[in-house]
């Protein structure tokens, strides 16, 4: 009975999200509401000049996620989303709860000369007052999956269609993504889709994680390249944040990662290792 009840909740939430998404489309971005065309919008191109480079203590940025076994996917018609009670992020003295992850099969944020990655994850967090923070993780096609992608088992969503909800068939832990992470980019923008809420904080991991060809191939074809256009930077600050000690998420494994180049003269995404 409990499993059936949880399944019913998932379907209801998924249907509500799909209905909301039916009110806008990426094909008609110029028809989005006025609020989506004012202020500091997202996504942006991450490139020099950077406003500053700072070093922060690990207690100023803490990933306090946990394993869950009841997350589920929803195909909203515009995006593939993953829902669950993933845990918290503590940043600058505030706690933000994570409950939604958006998957984009071509990164919205670009780097250097408008370079993109194969997949962008946007982990949405909110504090008790409703203020939003999005952590962005980029993935590049590889022969193997990172440990988180292994857990997620994306091939299980093969064939998912608009309005569908699908439970993840394993335990997952977002924290595994951030093992050994040492560097991030920070800026303020907006939700990258309607209602384009302003004053959203962005924290972008500069390490590019691997994803297998098999996992990428399972992504819904009707959502490939569905993303918002790059928005003007408008002289806003983009800050490089270095953790004094790297994130220690001991359950993870080394991924031989690539890294987004953040050198002062960076013009592309560089592969290391």
């Amino acid at each position: 009975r409990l499993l059936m009840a949880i399944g019913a909740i998932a379907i209801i939430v998924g249907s509500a999200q799909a209905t909301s998404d039916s009110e806008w489309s990426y094909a008609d971005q110029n028809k989005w509401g006025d609020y989506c065309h004012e202020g500091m919008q997202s996504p942006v191109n991450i490139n020099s000049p950077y406003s500053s480079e700072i070093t922060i203590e690990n207690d100023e940025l803490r990933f306090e996620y946990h394993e869950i076994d009841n997350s589920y996917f929803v195909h909203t018609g515009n995006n593939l989303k993953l829902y669950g009670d993933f845990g918290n992020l503590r940043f600058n003295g505030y706690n933000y709860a994570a409950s939604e992850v958006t998957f984009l099969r071509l990164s919205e944020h670009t780097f250097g000369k408008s370079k993109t990655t194969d997949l962008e994850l946007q982990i949405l967090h909110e504090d008790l007052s409703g203020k939003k923070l999005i952590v962005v993780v980029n993935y590049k096609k590889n022969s193997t999956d990172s440990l988180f992608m292994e857990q997620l088992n994306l091939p299980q969503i093969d064939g998912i269609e608009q309005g569908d909800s699908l439970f993840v068939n394993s335990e997952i832990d977002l924290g595994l993504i951030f093992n050994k992470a040492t560097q991030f980019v920070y800026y303020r923008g907006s939700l990258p889709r309607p209602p384009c809420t302003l004053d959203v904080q962005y924290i972008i991991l500069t390490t590019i994680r691997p994803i297998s060809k098999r996992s990428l191939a399972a992504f819904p074809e009707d959502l490939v390249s569905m993303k918002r256009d790059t928005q003007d930077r408008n002289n806003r600050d983009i800050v490089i944040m270095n953790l004094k000690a790297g994130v220690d998420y001991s359950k993870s494994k080394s991924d031989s990662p690539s890294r987004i180049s953040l050198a002062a003269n960076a013009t592309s995404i560089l592969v290391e290792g």
Side-chain angles (χ1 to χ4, degrees):
R1 289 183 180 179
L2 178 59
L3 182 59
M4 291 175 64
I6 293 174
I9 292 171
I11 293 170
I12 291 169
V13 173
S15 297
Q17 180 67 42
T19 300
S20 175
D21 272 16
S22 69
E23 298 173 3
W24 60 273
S25 85
Y26 286 112
D28 296 311
Q29 296 182 35
N30 60 322
K31 296 181 181 179
W32 292 3
D34 291 342
Y35 208 50
C36 294
H37 303 283
E38 61 184 38
M40 301 295 187
Q41 295 287 319
S42 295
V44 297
N45 180 255
I46 304 299
N47 198 7
S48 57
Y50 302 104
S51 305
S52 60
E53 182 170 359
I54 62 175
T55 299
I56 61 175
E57 300 289 341
N58 276 47
D59 59 2
E60 295 178 76
L61 177 61
R62 296 185 62 85
F63 299 93
E64 299 175 347
Y65 302 125
H66 52 244
E67 284 187 341
I68 62 172
D69 60 3
N70 59 353
S71 61
Y72 59 94
F73 286 103
V74 175
H75 185 318
T76 70
N78 287 323
N79 296 118
L80 179 68
K81 292 182 180 286
L82 179 69
Y83 292 98
D85 176 14
F86 302 112
N88 300 306
L89 173 75
R90 184 167 179 80
F91 179 61
N92 201 25
Y94 292 89
N95 285 317
Y96 297 86
S99 60
E100 176 186 307
V101 183
T102 300
F103 292 69
L104 297 151
R105 180 54 181 88
L106 193 62
S107 65
E108 282 193 316
H109 288 86
T110 56
F111 306 91
K113 293 182 177 179
S114 300
K115 296 261 184 169
T116 58
T117 61
D118 295 309
L119 182 75
E120 177 175 324
L121 265 56
Q122 297 175 352
I123 308 171
L124 177 64
H125 303 70
E126 289 192 25
D127 70 5
L128 291 176
S129 69
K131 291 183 178 178
K132 295 175 172 55
L133 183 153
I134 295 176
V135 176
V136 173
V137 184
N138 286 276
Y139 286 80
K140 188 180 178 96
K141 184 163 59 178
N142 198 285
S143 59
T144 60
D145 281 312
S146 65
L147 184 55
F148 174 72
M149 283 297 169
E150 285 181 2
Q151 282 190 334
L152 195 58
N153 186 23
L154 273 180
Q156 71 180 294
I157 68 169
D158 192 19
I160 193 172
E161 297 179 349
Q162 182 174 349
D164 287 349
S165 299
L166 177 69
F167 272 102
V168 175
N169 57 14
S170 61
E171 292 186 345
I172 63 170
D173 187 344
L174 287 179
L176 299 179
I177 298 171
F178 301 97
N179 188 53
K180 304 185 186 305
T182 58
Q183 190 180 68
F184 302 84
V185 169
Y186 174 87
Y187 82 95
R188 286 181 179 268
S190 70
L191 288 182
R193 58 195 67 87
C196 306
T197 306
L198 295 174
D199 200 27
V200 175
Q201 298 181 88
Y202 277 83
I203 296 176
I204 302 175
L205 176 66
T206 64
T207 302
I208 306 173
R209 297 304 190 191
I211 183 170
S212 69
K213 296 177 182 178
R214 180 168 176 260
S215 291
L216 283 174
F219 200 88
E221 290 186 8
D222 59 334
L223 297 181
V224 173
S225 300
M226 289 281 199
K227 65 191 190 92
R228 190 182 191 186
D229 297 336
T230 303
Q231 304 296 298
D232 291 337
R233 179 170 173 173
N234 291 326
N235 297 314
R236 79 186 83 180
D237 292 336
I238 296 181
V239 178
I240 299 173
M241 298 192 308
N242 297 301
L243 275 180
K244 194 169 185 179
V247 176
D248 181 13
Y249 218 85
S250 57
K251 289 179 288 185
S252 187
K253 66 180 181 181
S254 174
D255 288 328
S256 299
S258 308
R259 180 178 291 280
I260 298 168
S261 175
L262 293 178
N265 61 349
T267 57
S268 63
I269 297 173
L270 304 181
V271 177
E272 296 183 354

